[in-house]
Amino acid sequence: MAQDKNYNYSGYVELPDNTKTPYQLKFTEQKGLLTGYSVVDPFGLDETKSTVVGKKESGVFLLNEIDVMSTRSVVSENEFCLLQMRLQLEEINGLRYLNGVFDGFYS
């Protein structure tokens, strides 16, 4: 029986204008399926936690934020941008991180 694999990453999402937004991603892989959550602006005024689901194909994590679980933001929930991500696990000098591309969609 395969054991679940847990992932926990903290870093940022870089936008096209080079703005960097703090971002955490925590998910579990079970039989190729991914479930977990993301946190944008952790500990900040606009901290927002979203449900994340997806799958792993050929070493690539295909993840989608599907809803807002909780937020501190005053922004209306239908104005939140949910991400679709295509990420690969990379390593440099023993430091492992996720790198890839994303598209944002309003909820």
Side-chain angles (χ1 to χ4, degrees), residues 35-67:
T35 57
Y37 65 91
S38 64
V39 182
V40 176
D41 193 24
F43 308 108
L45 294 175
D46 293 315
E47 178 180 274
T48 302
K49 186 175 181 179
S50 299
T51 304
V52 173
V53 297
K55 59 186 174 178
K56 187 175 179 183
E57 287 184 355
S58 304
V60 176
F61 297 102
L62 304 171
L63 294 163
N64 296 308
E65 293 177 333
I66 58 170
D67 63 23

Side-chain angles (χ1 to χ4, degrees), residues 3-42:
Q3 188 173 4
D4 295 353
K5 189 166 185 180
N6 296 309
Y7 296 87
N8 183 355
Y9 290 93
S10 294
Y12 61 87
V13 172
E14 187 171 352
L15 304 175
D17 66 359
N18 295 322
T19 302
K20 295 178 181 171
T21 301
Y23 192 79
Q24 294 178 341
L25 188 56
K26 298 179 182 188
F27 60 93
T28 300
E29 177 184 356
Q30 183 179 40
K31 298 180 182 176
L33 297 178
L34 311 172
T35 57
Y37 65 91
S38 64
V39 182
V40 176
D41 193 24

Side-chain angles (χ1 to χ4, degrees), residues 68-81:
V68 174
M69 298 167 67
S70 64
T71 187
R72 292 184 191 171
S73 180
V74 296
V75 173
S76 170
E77 191 170 315
N78 64 351
E79 294 181 36
F80 281 98
C81 183

